[in-house]
Amino acid sequence: MLDIASIATEIERQRRQFPGLADKVYFNFGGQGILPRTGFDAIVEAHRYLEEHGPFSARVNDWITERTELLRRETARSLGVEPRTLSITEDVTVGCNIPLWGIEWRSNDHILLTDCEHPGIIATVQEIARRFSVEFSFCPILETLNGGDPVAVIERYLQPNTRLLVLSHVLWNTGQVLPLREISRLCHQQTRSVLVLVDAAQSVGCLDLNLSELEADFYAFTGHKWWCGPAGVGGLYVRPEAFESLSPTFIGWRGIDMDESGRPIAFKKDGRRFEVATSAYPLFEGLRASIAVHETFADAKQRTDRVVQLAGYLWGELGAIDKVHCLKNSPPESGLVSFVVEGANPNQLVRELEKRGFFLRTIRDPLCIRACVHYFTLPSEIDRLVGEIRALM
């Protein structure tokens, strides 16, 4: 059992801010975080304000502009970047689609992906390849989970015509954390500099991040997973050096400058360029409130340390069960713990656990069960999950 007596009171106080924890044992933060009460209240209050003072009026429009920029600034501060480098999006997939479609592709350009990317991103690359005669291929990052060098693997699979590398910072299926700065530097040092697009679905809110130090060109994230915000708000960081390599694909009034007659005259010179039009603005307030809840508990490094400590505890307890095998042979570096149970159907086991109040998910490739712990997960919840798996076996 982890020794957390010194912070037990603070953890319990923090957990009371998440009503969804009251009736379940939750291990699916990598799929959807649990919204804190203040996040829910902020959404409701924003809707109320819009209806009372508009919903369309000069006052409301000023409020929307102000609150949008507040979210941009607070998100940028959390990620260690300048607000002008951030675009507010709906989710990770939208964030990835902005650079994927915004690059001016030429016939025979090459896109390299790892073999651990999300199907939605792979499907986008496949369609780009079909439309623009672009080549794509995969590098075997999965094989480096328990040994090997991801940087060396990527270097081996880069081609002279590679234009873009697509990878995840934290692999959604295994929880492996890739050495992103080293990979970015490798790509930028190629004779033809290779752009780097990062699917950050499992890193923002889970890891202590300073994006300006990671040197990736595009970093697409969401607020609804580890940040525990509402579904429907995310973002894209574009490295200043890569900004001019992108053109907007979906275009609307939020991304353009207009003259006095209202005619578009230019695209905006910052991250707003890739934003389109009307959004569900009350969700912006929900995400701001959710981020603030986490920051009242501890700083990002302390939260990350606790996530990794708890994930390590789960990993160790699962590994002590006969016929349970964690995919990673060493303690996790993130909050994701993927495992298999000999002789058990993963989908059936997850459904049985859910009937008993334990929420996990399955992954198809590799076929396994994934459990995600947050900094406010309790060791007693881990003990209960492990005990339930033993009982079901």
Side-chain angles (χ1 to χ4, degrees), residues 66-230:
E66 174 197 2
R67 297 310 171 106
T68 300
E69 294 313 307
L70 272 176
L71 175 61
R72 195 187 316 277
R73 289 200 300 270
E74 292 174 14
T75 302
R77 176 182 50 77
S78 296
L79 299 177
V81 297
E82 293 294 323
R84 63 186 176 85
T85 63
L86 289 185
S87 305
I88 298 175
T89 68
E90 287 74 28
D91 49 49
V92 170
T93 304
V94 170
C96 287
N97 269 265
I98 290 171
L100 283 170
W101 291 103
I103 293 172
E104 189 174 340
W105 296 107
R106 296 187 290 269
S107 177
N108 298 320
D109 278 344
H110 173 252
I111 302 173
L112 179 64
L113 307 92
T114 82
D115 59 352
C116 292
E117 299 313 308
H118 194 276
I121 306 306
I122 296 172
T124 306
V125 171
Q126 289 174 333
E127 181 60 12
I128 287 171
R130 186 188 71 81
R131 291 195 196 184
F132 302 110
S133 298
V134 168
E135 302 171 357
F136 71 93
S137 61
F138 298 91
C139 59
I141 287 297
L142 182 60
E143 70 180 23
T144 69
L145 177 62
N146 293 308
D149 182 359
V151 181
V153 170
I154 289 170
E155 183 174 25
R156 190 163 66 248
Y157 280 80
L158 288 172
Q159 301 179 15
N161 60 333
T162 301
R163 187 88 176 275
L164 178 71
L165 169 66
V166 182
L167 77 168
S168 299
H169 194 174
V170 177
L171 302 186
W172 75 297
N173 50 4
T174 69
Q176 181 181 1
V177 180
L178 297 184
L180 186 54
R181 180 166 59 179
E182 290 78 4
I183 292 170
S184 297
R185 288 180 175 178
L186 165 71
C187 289
H188 295 155
Q189 290 166 1
Q190 299 304 299
T191 302
R192 180 193 189 187
S193 182
V194 176
L195 295 166
V196 178
L197 167 59
V198 181
D199 179 331
Q202 303 301 335
S203 53
V204 168
C206 181
L207 302 184
D208 179 20
L209 295 171
N210 185 320
L211 301 190
S212 61
E213 295 179 352
L214 296 177
E215 302 182 22
D217 297 291
F218 317 114
Y219 200 90
F221 58 92
T222 184
H224 77 272
K225 295 180 184 286
W226 296 90
W227 261 342
C228 298

Side-chain angles (χ1 to χ4, degrees), residues 40-88:
F40 180 85
D41 291 344
I43 294 169
V44 173
E45 182 56 35
H47 275 295
R48 182 179 294 112
Y49 183 93
L50 294 176
E51 294 303 315
E52 288 180 354
H53 300 287
F56 189 92
S57 66
R59 181 174 179 178
V60 161
N61 290 342
D62 289 343
W63 182 90
I64 287 172
T65 299
E66 174 197 2
R67 297 310 171 106
T68 300
E69 294 313 307
L70 272 176
L71 175 61
R72 195 187 316 277
R73 289 200 300 270
E74 292 174 14
T75 302
R77 176 182 50 77
S78 296
L79 299 177
V81 297
E82 293 294 323
R84 63 186 176 85
T85 63
L86 289 185
S87 305
I88 298 175

Side-chain angles (χ1 to χ4, degrees), residues 247-256 267 273-277:
S247 298
T249 299
F250 288 98
I251 297 169
W253 58 265
R254 279 170 63 186
I256 58 175
F267 293 115
R273 173 181 294 196
F274 307 111
E275 297 171 7
V276 184

